[in-house]
Amino acid sequence: MNDIIETIREKDPGEREFHQAVTEVLESVKPVLDRNPEYRRAAVLERIVEPERVIIFRVPWMDNEGQVHVNRGFRVEMNSAIGPYKGGLRFHPSVKLSIMKFLAFEQVFKNSLTTLGMGGAKGGSDFNPKGRSDHEIMRFCQSFMTELFRYIGPHTDIPAGDIGVGAREIGYLFGMYKKLKNEFTGVLTGKSLNWGGSLVRPEATGYGCVYFAAEMLATRNENLENKTCLVSGSGNVAQYTSEKIIHLGGRVVTLSDSSGYIYDEQGLDQDKLEYVKHLKNIKRGRIEQYAEKYPESLYFQADPLLDHNPLWNHKADCVFPCAFENEIQQKDAQNLISNGVRLVCEGANMPATLEAADIFMNSNILYGPSKAANAGGVAVSGLEMAQNSMRLNWPAEEVNNRLKIIMQSIHQTCLEAAEEYGEPGNYVAGANIAGFVKVVNAMLDQGLV
Ligand code: NDP
């Protein structure tokens, strides 16, 4: 196991996030390999850490002043053992190969946990959409798709949104794909409702995350009612995580963006949340404006020189990181535990560093890792694909019920896998083991490909 981690470090030095994601999974699956020597003989670990295909391409585009820009586009097709590649596209200046590989690797196990037949992939670009006009976004998306269309398709690879890629971007990407291929197929998910999108897809990751948290709390005869919750981020996942917490009687007291965070001791209600949705999704404003609109709340500017994030220093029962990878550092985890937090449920992908995750796992809190807790988004994307194939639209209630059942089933699967391998109550081990076993068994069935 250590040899494999050493090998990927030597082969791909500098891919810090990818090494982190691999280390976490490999540490969990050791007992599975000990019990199944055929996995070692078939070198499943060596195969699963190597992407099936990596596509890197140039994305030239012109801004409104006629200036030409060149960004880098990526698609990492990690594993297709249990279905066509599936995973989001991220547009953010921090995008690089290591981030794409870590996200694609996580996606393989997450998709496996959903019980739907989807392989794992991730893509995106180091393009920064912030401050760009709709026309600039459209030109960028069109240029991006002019290359990507060669590698994707409704039975091959079905991208979706992620950070910086919402309904607007999916629309522009889809439009160009349709023109190039001369076909109207479900090649992307997260589409708008009037041309093939699924009801509840925008809500799915956040709602699913809270359904997962509710399942975890139920194991201790608790629920979210009157619980004080810290939520980070203010994008898609943060908005709908907050909404479902509010529905279930919890009190959301924080939201953030990359510039800072707000603290509202009274808690958000649906009206305040609608203001945030409008501010972020329509006006594309900053969370600081929340504190101007609601003077009873406080705004704290981010300080990049700090070794911790003061957002995680507020006293709370439950914590939902919904912004970015590694947003919870070791010191943040220590602060949360000393402040008596009882549940951490990850809406963002890998929001805790390895050190922070260790602190959570070694305490007596409920800790739901991202690949299980935020799988609701891709699960409903899978349901969108099913509806597209049938040319049918299911009502919101049906999609929401299916989402709830999938999250309950993922929760149960994690608990059972953890129990079976001697780690009762360890959701990290359970998610990694259950996701891994299904994928490697399919790989063995399909031979050395
Ligand atoms: P959005 O782009 O809608 O929102 C991202 C949020 O994170 C914004 O509030 C953004 O602020 C904030 N943010 C970005 N960078 C930083 C930073 N360095 N520090 C603090 N905050 C930051 O993305 P999503 O809500 O879709 O994604 C959030 C997380 O959830 C990501 O980890 C994503 O991979 C994961 N996820 C998303 C799914 C989905 O269905 N959308 C599915 C599963 C996981 P700002 O506006 O300043 O950039």
Side-chain angles (χ1 to χ4, degrees), residues 151-301:
Y151 309 100
I152 62 175
H155 304 293
T156 314
D157 184 353
I158 306 97
D162 190 74
I163 292 181
V165 178
R168 172 182 61 171
E169 292 74 18
I170 292 290
Y172 295 144
L173 291 163
F174 184 86
M176 188 44 105
Y177 180 87
K178 182 170 62 102
K179 183 180 171 81
L180 291 166
K181 298 284 277 196
N182 192 27
E183 61 180 37
F184 195 114
T185 47
V187 65
L188 290 157
T189 56
K191 300 185 287 296
S192 286
L193 274 181
N194 50 344
W195 48 273
S198 173
L199 285 160
V200 192
R201 176 58 189 92
E203 294 88 346
T205 309
Y207 279 19
C209 181
V210 180
Y211 293 147
F212 195 87
E215 289 297 310
M216 288 199 290
L217 285 168
T219 64
R220 297 190 178 171
N221 296 321
E222 290 188 59
N223 59 39
L224 274 161
E225 218 172 319
N226 297 323
K227 296 267 191 311
T228 301
C229 302
L230 306 179
V231 177
S232 65
S234 49
N236 172 272
V237 180
Q239 290 168 17
Y240 290 105
T241 294
S242 302
E243 184 161 279
K244 190 47 75 179
I245 294 171
I246 296 169
H247 288 173
L248 297 181
R251 192 166 61 104
V252 175
V253 293
T254 58
L255 284 175
S256 68
D257 60 24
S258 52
S259 313
Y261 75 94
I262 58 104
Y263 177 72
D264 184 342
E265 198 176 2
Q266 292 172 7
L268 275 80
D269 56 20
Q270 193 66 40
D271 285 348
K272 289 177 174 176
L273 187 60
E274 291 307 324
Y275 170 77
V276 173
K277 287 184 195 169
H278 186 76
L279 175 70
K280 284 289 171 182
N281 308 347
I282 312 289
K283 286 172 67 185
R284 302 193 188 271
R286 310 302 299 157
I287 200 66
E288 182 175 8
Q289 291 164 258
Y290 180 98
E292 290 158 17
K293 169 93 177 153
Y294 300 106
E296 67 274 21
S297 64
L298 300 169
Y299 175 69
F300 300 90
Q301 199 163 355

Side-chain angles (χ1 to χ4, degrees), residues 32-68:
V32 183
L33 293 162
D34 291 345
R35 209 185 278 180
N36 298 281
E38 70 276 17
Y39 289 167
R40 280 193 210 275
R41 279 195 298 275
V44 291
L45 289 186
E46 289 84 343
R47 289 156 65 187
I48 213 164
V49 298
E50 192 66 33
E52 289 179 9
R53 189 175 299 111
V54 175
I55 302 137
I56 301 183
F57 51 99
R58 179 173 69 192
V59 190
W61 59 282
M62 193 178 277
D63 69 20
N64 287 345
E65 278 70 52
Q67 174 77 42
V68 172

Side-chain angles (χ1 to χ4, degrees), residues 126-140:
D126 57 1
F127 169 68
N128 187 358
K130 252 187 228 140
R132 292 293 173 193
S133 71
D134 282 357
H135 284 140
E136 289 172 319
I137 300 282
M138 181 179 73
R139 285 196 291 276
F140 178 81

Side-chain angles (χ1 to χ4, degrees), residues 24 27 35 37 140 200 336 355:
E24 191 224 78
E27 277 172 3
R35 209 185 278 180
F140 178 81
V200 192
L336 287 166
E355 296 75 23

